[in-house]
Amino acid sequence: MAYEIGKDDLVNLYDLPTLQKFSTDFLLALGATDEEAAIITDGLMTASQWWHPGQGQGLEKFFRFYRQINNGGIIPNAPMQWVQEGPSYALLDAAKGFGYVSAHRAMARAVEKAKVTGIAMVGVRHSNHFGIAGYHALHAAKHGLIGWSFTNAKAEMAPWGSAQVVLGTNPWGIAIPRKDTHAIVLDMALTMSGKGMMMWYEREGKAMPDNWALTPTGERTTDPTAAMQGPLLPIGEYKGYGLSLITDVLSGVMTGSLFGMDVFQDESNHDVGHVMLAIDPGAFMPREAVDARLEKLIEQVKGAPPINPAQPVILPGEVEFKRMEQREREGIPLSRKTVDELRTLASQLKVDFPL
Ligand SMILES: NC(=O)c1ccc[n+]([C@@H]2O[C@H](COP(=O)([O-])OP(=O)(O)OC[C@H]3O[C@@H](n4cnc5c(N)ncnc54)[C@H](O)[C@@H]3O)[C@@H](O)[C@H]2O)c1
């Protein structure tokens, strides 16, 4: 969804190198290794350039890191271990380490294996929030492979027909590499929106779309405050619920992590599960032929006449890559609230605060 950022007084713009340096300093002060700080900073910067600050995937994640490192939920430099391995699959025990780091290592291993076998699936157990799904998928695309990443998450969605939360937003990131241009990147939660965007609407005093969430008693609502305690609605109604369930089977049940209502419940042990898939697009026919056929399909899709001429058809990921270029030029938006809270944390950790 292309969210409007809203009132200017809620947001300031910051340049990428400033945020990169702050992120690295902050993570090192929290005990991350140089490698971990580099992986997480790269993910957070990508998220900050792609998404609305209300989606909460950029520096907003520092509050969670700080909290969970202090209560033992995240262990910097955790002793992650490969616990299962075959030619085309592997399972990583993340040992409560950073989710960004375990997911990055898992996708790197999936890429390595898929280059030999054509396809590989790598699971991760006992992990934490892995950030944005598309970031991990894109890692495979940068190596010429299709990347597919997904994770389970805190229960915020009800099974279709109920108002009791059981399943997570369980996002999917799928990246299809293209020759000489950006990959197609479908990066989406399996819910229509998230609590962060609802809080943003609440703060701005705006009504939200009525297909985002239900009240705790199961009524549709446009009032973000009324919806805050209720379940998020899945994408595509019962179909999104089905996808979320299946995502939890693969990333929670199969990997040995927590699942359903249990994942994310204990602040000191979120025990999240992820899955990374890498697929060689040239497994069935010569790669050049696949690349040419893909461009033909894209030509057809983008050639479809728009209903509104001002809004041409776009590919998944296109809006984020455009936003990334714009934010490289103009700066990255951070809400006042985030900056104020980061200032407090930075002073506690004695980290230079340049914002
Ligand atoms: N780790 C977690 O637990 C977790 C949970 C939820 C979300 N997330 C992340 O939050 C981020 C935001 O997710 P979201 O679902 O709110 O994203 P979103 O709804 O803003 O976008 C979803 C996808 O739709 C595409 N899209 C948007 N408009 C389009 C159009 N007109 N035509 C074609 N494609 C279009 C976008 O390019 C994107 O790939 C993602 O990176 C996701 O992975 C993470």
Side-chain angles (χ1 to χ4, degrees):
M1 186 161 320
Y3 298 107
E4 292 291 318
I5 291 216
K7 286 184 196 158
D8 287 345
D9 63 347
L10 284 177
V11 167
N12 273 339
L13 298 176
Y14 299 92
D15 67 276
L16 181 66
T18 305
L19 294 189
Q20 262 164 340
K21 176 163 187 327
F22 174 63
S23 170
T24 307
D25 292 348
F26 186 90
L27 287 160
L28 293 175
L30 281 177
T33 62
D34 288 340
E35 185 213 2
E36 288 177 323
I39 293 169
I40 300 165
T41 294
D42 196 38
L44 295 180
M45 292 305 115
T46 305
S48 306
Q49 290 182 303
W50 281 4
W51 302 118
H52 186 291
Q55 283 167 293
Q57 300 295 336
L59 293 191
E60 299 81 11
K61 287 282 169 270
F62 280 171
F63 307 119
R64 180 196 293 261
F65 293 157
Y66 181 75
R67 213 175 55 234
Q68 280 193 275
I69 286 173
N70 279 312
N71 68 22
I74 294 179
I75 299 176
N77 200 16
M80 298 187 192
Q81 271 191 332
W82 295 100
V83 285
Q84 297 287 345
E85 186 131 29
S88 61
Y89 68 88
L91 176 66
L92 179 66
D93 186 324
K96 297 173 87 175
F98 286 108
Y100 257 117
V101 173
S102 64
H104 179 82
R105 289 180 182 160
M107 186 55 98
R109 183 61 67 101
V111 165
E112 217 175 90
K113 286 180 174 294
K115 282 192 173 163
V116 180
T117 59
I119 181 166
M121 174 169 169
V122 176
V124 182
R125 74 181 187 198
H126 308 327
S127 185
N128 278 292
H129 189 284
F130 78 7
I132 61 171
Y135 176 76
H136 302 296
L138 199 52
H139 179 82
K142 285 180 181 162
H143 286 82
L145 304 181
I146 294 172
W148 198 321
S149 83
F150 45 87
T151 181
N152 63 10
K154 180 181 176 190
E156 292 185 296
M157 174 203 294
W160 193 248
S162 172
Q164 181 185 304
V165 296
V166 178
L167 296 164
T169 52
N170 299 358
W172 286 22
I174 304 171
I176 313 274
R178 291 175 71 191
K179 230 173 164 259
D180 308 323
T181 186
H182 289 304
I184 299 175
V185 181
L186 177 62
D187 184 8
M188 57 172 198
L190 301 181
T191 49
M192 288 301 290
S193 190
K195 289 270 159 79
M197 278 314 301
M198 282 162 52
M199 280 189 254
W200 193 279
Y201 272 59
E202 189 180 41
R203 235 172 34 206
E204 291 204 324
K206 285 199 330 206
M208 63 178 206
D210 81 341
N211 62 353
W212 281 13
L214 301 177
T215 64
T217 46
E219 284 97 32
R220 283 193 179 233
T221 179
T222 59
D223 175 359
T225 310
M228 208 60 81
Q229 304 307 320
L232 297 176
L233 279 167
I235 57 167
E237 304 195 333
Y238 55 86
K239 299 179 189 181
Y241 145 60
L243 286 178
S244 179
L245 170 68
I246 282 155
T247 305
D248 207 0
V249 173
L250 295 172
S251 54
V253 174
M254 265 179 68
T255 61
S257 287
L258 292 176
F259 48 82
M261 294 161 85
D262 298 326
V263 64
F264 263 83
Q265 288 312 300
D266 174 357
E267 262 298 285
S268 64
N269 185 27
H270 279 185
D271 200 349
V272 187
H274 325 302
V275 171
M276 305 291 136
L277 275 162
I279 302 165
D280 178 0
F284 296 153
M285 65 173 83
R287 181 62 191 263
E288 305 75 55
V290 176
D291 286 342
R293 288 163 63 82
L294 173 63
E295 291 311 310
K296 274 207 177 121
L297 173 61
I298 291 171
E299 229 173 86
Q300 289 178 12
V301 167
K302 299 220 24 160
I307 296 163
N308 174 353
Q311 288 177 344
V313 170
I314 57 169
L315 296 173
E318 216 174 312
V319 74
E320 285 75 38
F321 285 121
K322 229 176 237 153
R323 212 176 276 145
M324 192 167 208
E325 282 160 20
Q326 185 197 349
R327 289 181 182 177
E328 244 159 45
R329 288 190 312 270
E330 296 171 11
I332 292 170
L334 276 180
S335 76
R336 277 278 161 76
K337 184 171 178 288
T338 299
V339 172
D340 289 345
E341 289 171 10
L342 285 176
R343 181 177 298 113
T344 309
L345 272 195
S347 95
Q348 279 168 23
L349 288 168
K350 303 199 182 349
V351 171
D352 272 355
F353 189 70
L355 310 183

